Amino acid sequence: MRTSQMLIPTLKEIPAEAEVVSHQLLLRAGFIRKVAAGIYTFLPLGQRVISKIEKIVREEMDLAGGQEVILPIIQPAELWQESGRWEVYGEEMFRLRDRHHRPFCLGPTHEEIITALVRSEVSSYKQLPLLLYQIQNKYRDEPRPRFGLLRGREFIMKDLYSFDRDEEGLKESYAKMYRAYSNVFRRCGLRFRAVEADTGAIGGNYSHEFMVLADAGEAEVAFCPACDYAANIEIALARPQNKGRQEEIPAKLELVPTPGCQTVEEVASYLQIEPTKIIKTLFFKADGRLVSVLLRGDRELSHVKLMRYLGCRDLHLAAPDEVKEIAGAPTGYVGPLGLKSIRVIGDLEVPYMVNAVAGANREGYHYMNVNAGRDFELAEVADLRQAEAGEPCPRCGVPLERKRGIEVGQIFQLGTKYSRAMGATYTDPQGQEQYIVMGCYGIGISRTMAAAVEQNHDASGIIWPLSIAPYQVVVVPVSNRDGEQMAIAESLYYELQQAGVEVVLDDRDERAGVKFVEADLIGYPLRLTIGKKTIQEGTIDLKWRESGREIALPWEGLARRVKEEIENVLKERYGR
Ligand SMILES: [Zn+2]
């Protein structure tokens, strides 16, 4: 293509609404435009990147035995009522009615549609296993759409569903997808980790997320630098770190005034103790029931762990008046001593805390030298806190690291959750009817594009991995008014096209500086510059965007050489 004929509306200023790098650069370099909150148009360059990611995804899904289908975006409410998710999905679901007032939704995911399809088309064990996938727009009415393509309300996703005879089969399908996903993200040029994850609204019992490590990520990952242990911080195992430090002798319980001390920090500084000495007491409403949670003062609660432990669907902090009613004191002064008629759950570390400080359930007072078991009953303990960086890996003991990540894919072992709810069965070799065992596997295509930018950019712009770049090469004549330069540029452009290289010719009558700045902003992996030197010495400057490496090569035979170099890099760095 010639830039004079392309729609590449670049922007000089950083758009005010864009908080993260990928959003800023994709707007500035002319890849996307916003239509409404969380809803975007993909411009020609953006669409080319999307198609390339989709191509890699298709290749890997097909090689793993997947077959592509297209399921409808508009889905009837009845199927969601069958699975029980019409209510559960809540306000995140875009709902609509047809002219006969029948309820529908815009698909946020497709488990219901695909289970209904397989229920009617599959009846025998001979038809299993079956892997079906699609690449399509999905819709979720996010409360806070933000960060451009990272959290949109309309986004492009690949979703594959596996159907197996039994758990063994599911494990095989899951392992295939795990490998295929690793290939997809490696081929897209991303640095990622597969991490153990919560199953959330999709359900099921086992799941991995594929996380691209980047500061803009909304999730946090704990991972071991020595072994392959990695988990979303929401579920990463957090063993008690204060075990075996009980040389301290339990002292006499003491009531002390702590006027105006509401927070852990205030109590710690007033009493001149470490936050590790404080028992933090929190009150939650879990599916409408009040529960109390105890945690060491410096620790953070994992809401997901608490929800899993309680088996509840809804969890939020209790209102101050509810706390006061049950504990007899305002939130800053509550503690486990004398707390009655409420379920109390302690984190695994609480029983090992000796001579701790806790709220006295009396305004303006705390107890010192509190010991679980002696001063209050702790019947329930569970792993409820977030793991911290530096604590030993639960597998091998090496200190864990903690980083932010962008979730670009997630795979789930669903089991029979949907097939039971919707009656999807097959007949086994003995003639018995069995529930089909399912898995589901998603990749955020548009989010992968944004994640690639988060990981691959510098102050000048995007640095596309060669495998997903909108074009591989840009040819830049320094002066359009120089007939000799333009003739060489045109002929090189023609030869590159003939060789099958994806090439753009910057044929605009602009200053060379403007063209260079735009080429760097857009992020073409390779730039070929034709200037005075080309005429005088017969060489063309070849510059790699990623490394900045620049060499002058004779322009005769250059197209073939560039083609070979591109093929080598694609094979070695981004190949299967
Ligand atoms: Zn480890």
Side-chain angles (χ1 to χ4, degrees):
M1 278 299 284
R2 293 162 187 275
T3 48
S4 61
Q5 291 157 23
M6 292 167 78
L7 178 64
I8 312 178
T10 56
L11 308 171
K12 287 210 172 60
E13 304 294 324
I14 297 174
E17 83 263 28
E19 295 168 68
V20 295
V21 171
S22 61
H23 192 193
Q24 293 170 359
L25 287 175
L26 290 170
L27 286 168
R28 276 187 63 207
F31 284 71
I32 59 169
R33 282 296 180 264
K34 182 172 142 183
V35 175
I39 299 171
Y40 290 87
T41 292
F42 290 85
L43 299 177
L45 290 181
Q47 171 54 21
R48 284 184 70 95
V49 175
I50 291 291
S51 324
K52 288 203 170 176
I53 297 171
E54 288 181 355
K55 182 168 181 282
I56 291 172
V57 168
R58 280 200 175 90
E59 282 173 15
E60 293 297 333
M61 292 305 112
D62 291 350
L63 278 161
Q67 300 174 74
E68 189 168 1
V69 294
I70 287 279
L71 305 168
I73 287 172
I74 299 185
Q75 307 183 7
E78 295 94 78
L79 290 176
W80 288 79
Q81 283 153 354
E82 271 190 57
S83 74
R85 288 207 296 178
W86 184 251
E87 304 303 329
V88 176
Y89 235 92
E91 294 198 314
E92 272 201 13
M93 188 184 258
F94 276 104
R95 294 162 205 258
L96 63 156
R97 286 180 183 271
D98 69 7
R99 64 172 69 207
H100 306 293
H101 301 287
R102 282 185 290 246
F104 288 83
C105 68
L106 299 183
T109 174
H110 281 76
E111 283 82 10
E112 281 77 3
I113 296 278
I114 199 114
T115 306
L117 174 78
V118 168
R119 165 175 74 186
S120 58
E121 306 306 328
V122 170
S123 54
S124 159
Y125 70 94
K126 290 176 191 157
Q127 294 168 280
L128 300 173
L130 190 60
L131 304 175
L132 300 173
Y133 77 95
Q134 63 167 346
I135 296 178
Q136 197 198 51
N137 285 2
K138 294 264 187 287
Y139 297 85
R140 285 178 204 169
D141 198 357
E142 293 280 348
R144 284 205 303 154
R146 56 190 182 145
F147 301 154
L149 301 184
L150 289 177
R151 184 158 293 277
R153 295 196 292 169
E154 178 184 78
F155 50 95
I156 308 167
M157 237 182 102
K158 184 285 305 178
D159 43 332
L160 183 144
Y161 304 87
S162 67
F163 302 88
D164 279 284
R165 298 176 195 179
D166 49 27
E167 288 289 329
E168 277 310 299
L170 170 61
K171 280 194 186 115
E172 268 176 49
S173 296
Y174 191 85
K176 269 187 202 165
M177 280 301 122
Y178 188 101
R179 284 195 298 274
Y181 272 45
S182 302
N183 286 340
V184 164
F185 297 120
R186 185 182 47 74
R187 292 182 60 191
C188 288
L190 297 169
R191 297 178 295 284
F192 67 95
R193 289 291 297 236
V195 309
E196 292 172 16
D198 183 46
T199 51
I202 302 283
N205 38 33
Y206 192 62
S207 178
H208 279 91
E209 284 164 335
F210 288 77
M211 293 277 198
V212 166
L213 302 177
D215 292 335
E218 289 187 274
E220 273 195 273
V221 181
F223 63 94
C224 176
C227 73
D228 65 355
Y229 182 76
N232 190 308
I233 202 71
E234 291 171 335
I235 66 154
L237 293 173
R239 304 249 166 88
Q241 298 304 312
N242 55 352
K243 227 169 157 177
R245 285 191 215 142
Q246 293 148 300
E247 46 293 311
E248 215 179 311
I249 295 157
K252 192 166 168 278
L253 189 69
E254 202 184 327
L255 185 69
V256 291
T258 47
C261 299
Q262 300 268 356
T263 65
V264 166
E265 291 70 31
E266 285 164 356
V267 174
S269 104
Y270 186 80
L271 296 176
Q272 305 222 320
I273 52 166
E274 292 297 318
T276 54
K277 277 295 206 185
I278 295 174
I279 296 175
K280 191 156 60 172
T281 309
L282 306 168
F283 289 83
F284 288 93
K285 270 288 190 54
D287 288 346
R289 283 201 180 162
L290 213 53
V291 295
S292 174
V293 174
L294 310 180
L295 211 60
R296 207 171 85 174
D298 59 324
R299 299 304 197 188
E300 267 185 89
L301 179 78
S302 159
H303 287 240
V304 169
K305 284 183 180 178
L306 182 58
M307 287 179 82
R308 285 178 149 199
Y309 179 75
L310 296 171
C312 68
R313 273 182 179 169
D314 179 59
L315 184 78
H316 57 265
L317 273 173
D321 55 319
E322 289 172 311
V323 175
K324 194 161 183 185
E325 201 189 317
I326 194 101
T331 317
Y333 298 99
V334 292
L337 275 73
L339 207 55
K340 293 224 166 59
S341 65
I342 181 172
R343 187 172 172 192
V344 181
I345 308 148
D347 175 68
L348 297 176
E349 289 185 333
V350 176
Y352 298 106
M353 293 175 74
V354 182
N355 297 333
V357 167
N361 295 328
R362 178 173 161 192
E363 184 157 5
Y365 287 89
H366 278 75
Y367 278 117
M368 287 182 78
N369 305 324
V370 172
N371 293 281
R374 184 192 74 177
D375 303 317
F376 67 96
E377 209 54 57
L378 188 56
E380 282 183 81
V381 287
D383 174 4
L384 297 176
R385 70 178 177 92
Q386 295 183 5
E388 306 281 350
E391 60 183 75
C393 164
R395 291 225 183 107
C396 75
V398 166
L400 287 177
E401 290 182 28
R402 203 170 141 162
K403 282 201 174 145
R404 302 199 77 82
I406 300 166
E407 181 212 324
V408 285
Q410 188 165 9
I411 58 180
F412 300 86
Q413 292 188 7
L414 295 174
T416 54
K417 176 181 159 143
Y418 293 92
S419 49
R420 268 177 206 278
M422 299 180 65
T425 59
Y426 71 95
T427 310
D428 72 11
Q430 287 74 44
Q432 299 290 312
E433 210 174 345
Q434 304 283 357
Y435 287 111
I436 298 175
V437 183
M438 290 173 56
C440 82
Y441 315 83
I443 290 180
I445 303 279
S446 38
R447 191 185 273 189
T448 296
M449 171 172 164
V453 178
E454 290 293 338
Q455 261 191 355
N456 302 283
H457 67 269
D458 62 14
S460 311
I462 306 172
I463 306 172
W464 288 110
L466 188 60
S467 56
I468 60 172
Y471 289 90
Q472 297 160 337
V473 175
V474 61
V475 174
V476 182
V478 169
S479 169
N480 280 58
R481 297 182 184 164
D482 183 321
E484 277 184 280
Q485 283 186 29
M486 279 314 287
I488 293 172
E490 288 283 354
S491 107
L492 182 62
Y493 171 60
Y494 176 79
E495 284 172 33
L496 285 166
Q497 278 188 321
Q498 291 301 305
V501 173
E502 299 166 11
V503 58
V504 164
L505 172 64
D506 197 341
D507 61 342
R508 294 169 304 161
D509 188 13
E510 285 281 2
R511 285 183 296 114
V514 171
K515 296 185 196 175
F516 292 157
V517 165
E518 282 201 4
D520 282 354
L521 176 63
I522 291 165
Y524 302 107
L526 202 54
R527 190 181 84 198
L528 303 178
T529 309
I530 291 143
K532 286 200 181 102
K533 229 169 66 181
T534 314
I535 312 301
Q536 289 158 2
E537 298 167 22
T539 60
I540 284 174
D541 281 332
L542 177 151
K543 188 178 181 188
W544 285 97
R545 175 77 176 88
E546 186 187 16
S547 61
R549 188 165 59 91
E550 197 167 1
I551 42 167
L553 292 168
W555 86 266
E556 301 281 348
L558 186 63
R560 207 189 64 240
R561 219 172 141 167
V562 166
K563 169 74 178 166
E564 277 169 15
E565 186 144 354
I566 284 174
E567 276 186 350
N568 284 342
V569 175
L570 281 178
K571 199 169 141 196
E572 276 159 30
R573 277 185 64 183
Y574 308 105
R576 286 205 81 251

